[in-house]
Amino acid sequence: MSNPCAGMEPGATTALYPLHRCKTIYLVRHAQGIHNVAGEKDFGAYMSHDLFDAQLTPLGWSQVDGLREHVKKSGLAEKIELVISSPLLRTMQTAVGVFGGEKYTDGVNAPPLMVENAGHSGRPAVSSLNCPPFIAVETCREHLGVHPCDKRRSITEYRPLFPAIDFSLIENDEDVLWEPDVREANEAVALRGMKFMDWLWTREEKEIAIVSHSGFLFHTLSMYSKECHPTIRDEVSKHFANCELRSMVLVDRSMLGSYSPRFNYPGKIPAGLDLPSDIADKKLVEEAEKN
């Protein structure tokens, strides 16, 4: 009898994992901000207080429009169940611009995700209808400290600009994490990123978009990819371009999640005899050995 697996050598090149122990995450770096432009011309500009909580440039908004079109055409917009954003102006502008609803219309009984001209954007208000919920999470911020562009405003200032973003998970109104004289170490950013990924398992959503920053994404993914094949490691941990989106599968190897499989079916309904042939073969061998 021919062997259906002839020529197929076993190996560790593939892996299986239960679907309910996985989430799909869509990682996005914010679009071009004014600090990116100034910093590329002169790195010392990152120390400028004129770049405090940097907003998007007009080119950055064009990048947002391009990614939004891709998200819609690819069908991704219909899959995402939750959008998480770092609570800085440039990330929230990117998040609502890419994943938010259409233009906001006065009189609609729902607050907008972003009001008109938020952060001197010159952009119309963005509706919170027909899109996923948005939450701001402090843990996925950029490197903390020293650079004014990475210091956030108070939540009291943000709420009128982004009325439909949920800020309830942020404990302090003022930015108590940013220090003027201490820059967060790369290792600390990576550990914070891993804690953030673990926290995602407290959420029920399975398809989540996350809008964050270059340093946070690079150091977090570099930590996760340490044990990967070099090709995969290079693919996962390379720096993000402005407004780049990468989709990845997050696997729960530590049983952090407690979800029942949504698509599994127990079988044997109605119940009946179902002894598999391989088990029958095993039982025949056991009986023969007894005799």
Side-chain angles (χ1 to χ4, degrees):
M1 182 169 56
S2 63
N3 182 359
C5 294
M8 298 174 60
E9 296 298 326
T13 56
T14 58
L16 292 174
Y17 216 79
L19 180 61
H20 67 285
R21 298 288 178 192
C22 302
K23 291 181 186 286
T24 305
I25 57 175
Y26 304 94
L27 302 173
V28 178
R29 180 191 173 195
H30 63 79
Q32 185 193 68
I34 59 170
H35 64 305
N36 297 134
V37 177
E40 183 136 344
K41 294 176 180 177
D42 174 16
F43 182 73
Y46 277 102
M47 302 299 292
S48 172
H49 289 275
D50 292 337
L51 300 178
F52 164 64
D53 193 18
Q55 74 268 22
L56 298 186
T57 65
L59 177 65
W61 279 108
S62 294
Q63 293 171 342
V64 165
D65 292 339
L67 179 55
R68 179 183 181 86
E69 183 178 2
H70 166 75
V71 165
K72 285 185 169 295
K73 284 185 175 179
S74 66
L76 182 55
E78 299 173 2
K79 298 180 65 176
I80 292 174
E81 302 170 68
L82 176 69
V83 178
I84 297 174
S85 177
S86 159
L88 271 79
L89 186 56
R90 59 190 182 270
T91 40
M92 291 189 289
Q93 287 178 324
T94 302
V96 301
V98 171
F99 300 108
E102 301 299 332
K103 292 181 181 179
Y104 181 75
T105 303
D106 289 335
V108 174
N109 190 25
L113 276 170
M114 185 180 80
V115 300
E116 183 179 0
N117 198 35
H120 308 290
S121 64
R123 302 281 289 199
V126 177
S127 173
S128 61
L129 299 177
N130 302 314
C131 65
F134 285 64
I135 58 173
V137 176
E138 198 107 76
T139 326
C140 63
R141 283 177 60 176
E142 182 59 293
H143 269 96
L144 298 167
V146 181
H147 294 174
C149 60
D150 298 328
K151 178 176 171 61
R152 70 165 172 82
R153 301 169 198 268
S154 69
I155 302 304
T156 300
E157 292 177 84
Y158 282 143
R159 278 199 167 98
L161 299 178
F162 302 95
I165 292 183
D166 182 357
F167 292 97
S168 63
L169 296 179
I170 298 179
E171 296 180 358
N172 298 286
D173 186 51
E174 297 294 335
D175 188 356
V176 299
L177 300 177
W178 187 91
E179 298 181 54
D181 302 318
V182 180
R183 185 72 169 165
E184 187 178 20
N186 293 341
E187 295 78 9
V189 176
L191 290 173
R192 175 159 59 84
M194 296 183 77
K195 288 180 181 178
F196 171 77
M197 295 296 182
D198 286 348
W199 171 81
L200 290 177
W201 287 106
T202 69
R203 305 290 313 189
E204 293 184 356
E205 297 88 357
K206 303 289 285 184
E207 308 258 354
I208 302 174
I210 298 154
V211 183
S212 187
H213 307 262
S214 174
F216 175 83
L217 294 169
F218 174 75
H219 293 295
T220 300
L221 296 180
S222 293
M223 181 71 78
Y224 272 100
S225 63
K226 277 185 175 180
E227 298 179 2
C228 294
H229 183 279
T231 301
I232 302 300
R233 184 168 62 244
D234 291 343
E235 179 182 349
V236 169
S237 62
K238 65 180 180 180
H239 279 93
F240 277 64
N242 280 131
C243 223
E244 180 181 353
L245 181 152
R246 293 183 207 165
S247 53
M248 299 191 184
V249 175
L250 183 65
V251 176
D252 178 16
R253 294 190 298 181
S254 302
M255 304 294 283
L256 292 170
S258 58
Y259 311 116
S260 300
R262 288 190 289 179
F263 303 116
N264 290 8
Y265 185 73
K268 211 171 183 177
I269 301 173
L273 303 178
D274 67 347
L275 181 69
S277 61
D278 57 327
I279 299 297
D281 291 342
K282 181 180 178 182
K283 289 183 176 294
L284 285 171
V285 171
E286 290 174 350
E287 289 294 325
E289 289 176 346
K290 287 179 183 179
N291 298 328

